[in-house]
Amino acid sequence: MSIPRPGTATRIGTAIATTLAIGGLGTAALTALPASAAAEAVQVQYRTSAGGATAYQSEPWFKVVNTASTPLSLSQVKIRYYFKADAAGTQYRFACSWARKGCGNITGTFGALAEPTATADRYLEIAFTSGAGSLAPGTDTGDMQLRFYRADWQSLTQSDDYSFDGSRTAYGAWDKVTAHIGTATVWGTAPAGNPPTDPPTDPPTDPPADGPTLFDDFDYTSHTDPAIGAHGWSVRANSGGPGVPGATWAPENVTFAMEGTNSIMNLETSTAGTGATTVHTEVLTKAMKFKNGTYAARVKFSDAPISGPDGDHVVQTFFTINDLTAPMADDYAEYDFEYLPNGGWGEPSNILYATSWETYRPDPWEAVNQHSQTRTSYAGWHDLVLTIDGGGIRYYVDGQLFGTHDARYLPERPMSINFNQWLIDLNGQTATTPRSYDEKIDYVLHVKDQVLTPAQVTAKVDAYRAAGTGFEDTVPGGQ
């Protein structure tokens, strides 16, 4: 059952906007370089996206700048971030959330220091494959949004880590990480007594992408295809919210077709300016069995109707949700991508929201949520990725980080996976001329308890298609 969506106040009042402050090049002076490295020099810039003294994961983000006068092959460069293990024997895992050079071209390994200090006995070493290419003089790698966490998913302490600085929320030169080319240290200072040549002692720990999975290519004949229900989907027919009062939800407006070599699901929403003529569409999983992990879909948003006059306050979505058991119940959860091509909820024109919900009360209205947004057109196909783990919630659009939301909004109970298209109201366009809008979906993917990068999502979907697999669901029925 779809939960009614609130009105204007969902995006204002208690909502907390999240933005990422990305700074320019730092101005700190370079450290002196050994003579052997004089021809090759780099600067390492650092910021953190998890600045608390304790956190579910550490998030050191880097840029590497070529400060030499000749090109630099990144495969020669290694960066080390030094930290204090939380306890003897604690194991850590590395992950790349996003990188301009591609997460597949970045590796992370852990090692132990030969001479432990009060603030460092371990380090994370970042290296590059040949696929990362080279840096021309004066250029940088762009964002490398990296993170590491305890293998047992317990919180970790950052405040006693040599390389950590929670106040650095914009990129700047940071000499408490080191950069190495061969055996030469070309940037930064290691904790006292530690040479640059300690080999990493742990194997690479990129998270696997082989957990229980739901994948659907939406290769069906029509909304009455028995395989839809057999694969765990429900095409909504029941009345109720969200949207225009008196509107219906029409299964027959959910259709399937081929575009190129891919099968596509289409949601059509239409109206002639009254509640009785308004038709919404929704497809959702029958089971609420999805919680932590990665969610992804390729969705085509549209700015203009396929027929009739434009201007309706239409909402095109991909989201997860569970039921509100009572007003302000703290076990409610919802995570949305919502595109409003003509505005709505007080917005005058197109806007894309990513919203994480803790709870709400419908009457009188009260909401506890956090959202990110961009006010621009998103007409066309887009790769949407949502990741949920112990450290928080992240939204990606076309491989770029769109928003990071706090751990306080993590889900307490499993959820369903939903797509719908509906009208907020009839105020944007008052004509009685019939008009209709399309939202198209190429595929959906969920990997339970695994955080995949956007590149890993693409690789996994490509592998399914290369194998001719149009559907798989190995996610257990309950979590």
Side-chain angles (χ1 to χ4, degrees):
M1 177 178 177
S2 179
I3 304 302
R5 301 282 297 159
T8 306
T10 57
R11 303 294 172 245
I12 59 177
T14 59
I16 306 169
T18 297
T19 57
L20 298 175
I22 305 297
L25 299 182
T27 57
L30 295 175
T31 58
L33 301 178
S36 62
E40 296 176 308
V42 301
Q43 179 192 82
V44 180
Q45 298 181 6
Y46 160 81
R47 62 159 291 190
T48 181
S49 185
T54 60
Y56 282 103
Q57 58 189 0
S58 184
E59 297 186 40
W61 293 9
F62 299 115
K63 291 182 181 179
V64 176
V65 186
N66 181 7
T67 57
S69 59
T70 57
L72 173 67
S73 173
L74 283 171
S75 63
Q76 301 176 24
V77 179
K78 291 181 172 60
I79 306 168
R80 287 187 177 177
Y81 178 95
Y82 302 90
F83 64 98
K84 181 79 170 178
D86 292 275
T90 301
Q91 296 295 307
Y92 294 88
R93 299 288 182 263
F94 165 78
C96 172
S97 295
W98 184 82
R100 186 185 299 172
K101 288 292 185 180
C103 283
N105 295 317
I106 298 173
T107 63
T109 53
F110 295 94
L113 292 182
E115 300 291 337
T117 71
T119 58
D121 55 15
R122 303 291 301 278
Y123 60 84
L124 168 65
E125 181 175 278
I126 304 302
F128 302 87
T129 70
S130 59
S134 299
L135 291 181
T139 64
D140 64 69
T141 58
D143 276 337
M144 293 187 290
Q145 298 175 6
L146 312 179
R147 57 195 176 87
F148 65 92
Y149 53 92
R150 289 179 55 157
D152 59 7
W153 276 111
Q154 298 299 306
S155 61
L156 51 78
T157 300
Q158 302 189 100
S159 55
D160 60 354
D161 292 347
Y162 176 84
S163 296
F164 173 74
D165 185 344
S167 68
R168 289 179 173 263
T169 57
Y171 279 112
W174 184 232
D175 63 5
K176 286 195 172 183
V177 295
T178 57
H180 313 278
I181 297 176
T183 59
T185 301
V186 297
W187 172 263
T189 303
N194 288 280
T197 54
D198 301 330
T201 55
D202 297 345
T205 55
D206 292 314
D210 56 358
T213 299
L214 167 69
F215 172 73
D216 202 330
D217 219 6
F218 295 116
D219 188 6
Y220 302 109
T221 58
S222 72
H223 74 280
T224 60
D225 190 332
I228 295 177
H231 289 171
W233 295 101
S234 174
V235 182
R236 183 176 175 183
N238 61 294
S239 62
V244 175
T248 58
W249 296 79
E252 63 273 16
N253 279 30
V254 178
T255 57
F256 302 88
M258 296 296 295
E259 286 197 6
T261 59
N262 292 339
S263 52
I264 301 297
M265 178 170 68
N266 188 74
L267 308 183
E268 180 181 333
T269 292
S270 60
T271 187
T274 66
T277 61
T278 301
V279 176
H280 298 155
T281 45
E282 182 168 28
V283 175
L284 64 156
T285 60
K286 292 185 285 187
M288 289 188 183
K289 62 176 184 176
F290 308 99
K291 194 179 178 187
N292 288 359
T294 300
Y295 300 81
R298 184 166 174 79
V299 176
K300 186 175 184 180
F301 297 129
S302 58
D303 279 353
I306 58 174
S307 64
D310 196 3
D312 289 289
H313 290 158
V314 64
V315 184
Q316 301 168 346
T317 77
F318 165 46
F319 65 103
T320 69
I321 192 171
N322 60 29
D323 55 322
L324 182 71
T325 55
M328 301 302 288
D330 61 6
D331 62 350
Y332 177 73
E334 181 180 351
Y335 307 94
D336 304 327
F337 286 99
E338 294 173 311
Y339 181 54
L340 282 58
N342 295 315
W345 292 322
E347 291 291 332
S349 60
N350 39 27
I351 184 169
L352 177 64
Y353 286 109
T355 308
S356 301
W357 289 79
E358 172 62 21
T359 189
Y360 73 94
R361 179 176 58 204
D363 188 20
W365 175 251
E366 182 179 359
V368 182
N369 60 33
Q370 184 174 7
H371 72 268
S372 304
Q373 69 283 317
T374 298
R375 294 172 176 85
T376 189
S377 172
Y378 277 88
W381 285 104
H382 296 283
D383 295 304
L384 309 178
V385 176
L386 159 69
T387 67
I388 303 173
D389 61 22
I393 304 106
R394 288 171 180 77
Y395 296 85
Y396 299 85
V397 179
D398 298 330
Q400 303 282 340
L401 185 65
F402 187 86
T404 301
H405 295 173
D406 301 340
R408 66 175 290 197
Y409 299 98
L410 291 172
E412 290 86 4
R413 291 188 291 122
M415 302 168 288
S416 61
I417 297 174
N418 303 50
F419 299 90
N420 66 18
Q421 185 178 219
W422 49 282
L423 301 183
I424 298 171
D425 52 43
L426 297 172
N427 298 329
Q429 171 58 263
T430 58
T432 57
T433 304
R435 59 267 189 188
S436 60
Y437 299 82
D438 278 355
E439 176 187 356
K440 297 181 178 181
I441 299 98
D442 184 6
Y443 71 82
V444 67
L445 174 75
H446 170 71
V447 182
K448 173 179 161 59
D449 295 335
Q450 296 288 336
V451 172
L452 275 62
T453 65
Q456 288 174 313
V457 167
T458 299
K460 194 167 182 70
V461 172
D462 288 348
Y464 276 119
R465 288 177 164 169
T469 302
F471 175 81
E472 178 179 85
D473 186 2
T474 59
V475 179
Q479 299 189 15

